[in-house]
């Protein structure tokens, strides 16, 4: 993998177990050297006897056997116990302080623009990648991936035309249901925007996420916030910013944790979105609020997160063009012109 802290690119194909196995092998070294030795892993592992986990396992195995197979393969590739890997992939469903942040810019129009900062554990810099995945019997996709996690909770585009970005929600109101990361993965097998909305609205949900989704050839740009009990779908009709906490009016009664960084990024993003639609990179690379900026590289970030990649998607009638940056102010690390692999 990377020796210069750059974002990598990998290609994976096969059965669900094959895919998980390859994802696990990709992240095995840094998982053992960094992840399992950290505070976040230890905090999540304290929930190993929580009865909700057994219920989540049953739901995933029954409802989504393919993703169950990916999780089984992931554990094998990581050389870690399956129970621990499954629990780690439920981290945001059981622990409100799971280390994921992110900021998204939403610009509607005939060809919507969707842009996203992927904020995560700075110890993973140089150990993440874009993964182009071709599942046997499923829909091909390309997604930003973290070591030890299945795809579906970052940013991605699929062969069917979906564009997805995901922001962490630190919900206090979690319950028994499907893990939010599994639901994010399930969106990759949807065939239309309406199918994706139906999935999230009707699923038994454990935890909470915010997703912005768009579809090639469909002018709609949708913001979706869901928790264990509620799901709000908003059609974006003006340029907006979302910084990983619930903001939809219909979610006002939900209990959540809003960190200082999340609140600061939302306020600064809102200010930058006033007037003519800005260049999304001017928003996502903004560092004006020095203690708690939108673009996060400071070693003392209070949420222990840094910006690991920035993606900008132009969702056209016939093609999705997108650029992925791993350093602010530089040329794209990867460019996808209507394809799921770099051109």
């Amino acid at each position: 993998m990377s020796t210069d802290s750059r974002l990598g690119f990998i290609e994976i194909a096969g059965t669900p177990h094959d895919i998980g196995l390859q994802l696990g092998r990709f992240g095995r070294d840094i998982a053992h050297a960094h992840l399992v030795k950290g505070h976040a892993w230890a905090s999540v592992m304290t929930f190993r006897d929580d009865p909700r986990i057994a219920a989540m396992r049953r739901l995933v195995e029954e409802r989504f056997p393919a993703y169950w197979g990916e999780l089984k393969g992931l554990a094998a590739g990581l050389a870690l116990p399956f129970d621990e890997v499954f629990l780690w992939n439920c981290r945001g469903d059981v622990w409100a302080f799971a280390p994921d942040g992110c900021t998204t810019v939403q610009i509607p129009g005939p060809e919507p623009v969707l842009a996203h900062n992927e904020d995560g554990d700075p110890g993973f810099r140089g150990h993440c990648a874009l993964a182009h995945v071709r599942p046997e019997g499923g829909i091909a996709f390309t997604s930003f991936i973290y070591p030890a996690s299945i795809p579906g909770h970052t940013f991605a585009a699929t062969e069917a035309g979906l564009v997805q970005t995901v922001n962490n929600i630190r919900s206090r109101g979690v319950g028994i249901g499907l893990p939010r990361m599994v639901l994010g993965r399930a969106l990759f097998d949807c065939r239309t925007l309406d199918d994706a909305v139906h999935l999230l609205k009707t699923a038994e949900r454990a935890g909470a996420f915010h997703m912005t989704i768009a579809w090639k050839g469909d002018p709609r740009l949708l913001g979706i916030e869901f928790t264990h009990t509620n799901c709000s779908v908003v059609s974006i009709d003006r340029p907006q910013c979302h910084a990983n906490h619930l903001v939809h009016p219909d979610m006002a009664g939900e209990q959540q944790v809003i960190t200082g960084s999340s609140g600061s990024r939302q306020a600064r993003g809102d200010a930058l979105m006033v007037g003519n639609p800005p260049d999304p990179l001017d928003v996502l690379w903004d560092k004006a609020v020095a203690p708690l900026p939108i673009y996060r590289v400071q070693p003392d970030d209070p949420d222990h997160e840094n910006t690991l990649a920035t993606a900008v998607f132009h969702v056209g009638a016939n093609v999705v063009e997108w650029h992925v940056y791993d350093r602010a102010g530089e040329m794209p690390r990867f460019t996808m012109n209507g394809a799921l692999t770099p051109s």
Side-chain angles (χ1 to χ4, degrees):
M1 189 47 197
S2 175
T3 57
D4 60 358
S5 299
R6 303 306 301 266
L7 185 67
F9 186 89
I10 61 174
E11 297 193 64
I12 293 173
T15 67
H17 190 274
D18 292 338
I19 288 168
L21 186 68
Q22 293 167 76
L23 289 169
R25 288 172 175 165
F26 159 78
R28 179 169 53 202
D29 290 348
I30 192 63
H32 285 268
H34 171 70
L35 176 61
V36 301
K37 297 178 180 179
H39 170 73
W41 180 273
S43 297
V44 173
M45 291 305 119
T46 63
F47 292 91
R48 55 169 48 90
D49 296 323
D50 190 313
R52 290 175 297 174
I53 299 302
M56 289 182 199
R57 288 179 55 151
R58 287 193 298 272
L59 283 170
V60 176
E61 187 173 16
E62 292 170 2
R63 307 286 176 84
F64 293 115
Y67 314 143
W68 178 261
E70 288 183 11
L71 286 161
K72 284 282 192 178
L74 181 66
L78 288 165
L80 289 170
F82 173 75
D83 289 353
E84 295 182 6
V85 173
F86 183 86
L87 181 53
W88 180 245
N89 280 264
C90 299
R91 55 189 179 271
D93 302 287
V94 297
W95 186 43
F97 292 94
D100 305 283
C102 306
T103 305
T104 300
V105 171
Q106 308 154 323
I107 302 178
E111 296 191 348
V113 175
L114 179 53
H116 180 80
N117 272 355
E118 183 58 39
D119 298 344
D121 183 346
F124 284 147
R125 189 178 300 280
H127 299 278
C128 296
L130 291 187
H132 177 55
V133 182
R134 290 177 287 111
E136 188 177 280
I139 295 174
F141 62 86
T142 297
S143 173
F144 181 99
I145 59 167
Y146 286 99
S149 295
I150 60 172
H153 62 108
T154 57
F155 62 82
T158 75
E159 185 179 48
L162 170 73
V163 175
Q164 175 210 62
T165 67
V166 184
N167 288 347
N168 184 29
I169 300 295
R170 296 180 169 95
S171 174
R172 294 285 195 188
V174 299
I176 293 173
L178 289 158
R180 63 184 194 170
M181 287 169 58
V182 170
L183 289 174
R185 171 66 183 88
L187 285 194
F188 293 172
D189 283 321
C190 290
R191 296 273 175 190
T192 69
L193 197 60
D194 292 327
D195 288 345
V197 171
H198 179 77
L199 170 67
L200 295 179
K201 286 182 73 72
T202 60
E204 297 173 76
R205 302 174 300 268
F209 259 155
H210 172 276
M211 295 184 175
T212 307
I213 59 175
W215 211 281
K216 178 179 65 178
D218 189 324
R220 291 176 293 171
L221 182 61
L222 302 181
I224 303 175
E225 293 183 346
F226 69 80
T227 64
H228 173 57
T229 54
N230 294 319
C231 183
S232 169
V233 181
V234 172
S235 182
I236 306 299
D237 58 4
R238 59 179 175 80
Q240 297 183 41
C241 183
H242 191 284
N244 85 277
H245 60 269
L246 298 169
V247 299
H248 289 186
D250 288 349
M251 308 299 272
E254 294 285 335
Q255 294 187 339
Q256 62 174 323
V257 176
I258 304 174
T259 67
S261 172
S262 182
S264 174
R265 285 180 284 116
Q266 187 68 55
R268 176 61 178 166
D270 289 345
L272 291 171
M273 301 303 288
V274 174
N276 293 325
D279 183 328
L281 292 177
D282 289 342
V283 179
L284 293 177
W285 288 349
D286 184 81
K287 300 179 184 177
V289 182
L292 299 169
I294 293 176
Y295 190 80
R296 309 165 74 182
V297 292
Q298 63 273 37
D300 60 346
D301 180 272
D303 296 343
H304 308 291
E305 298 159 7
N306 276 188
T307 302
L308 303 180
T310 301
V312 180
F313 298 88
H314 295 263
V315 187
N318 300 304
V319 69
V320 176
E321 296 185 356
W322 48 308
H323 306 278
V324 179
Y325 305 80
D326 63 355
R327 292 176 180 172
E330 296 190 3
M331 296 297 291
R333 176 68 168 166
F334 302 109
T335 294
M336 273 65 75
N337 291 311
L340 295 178
T341 55
S343 58

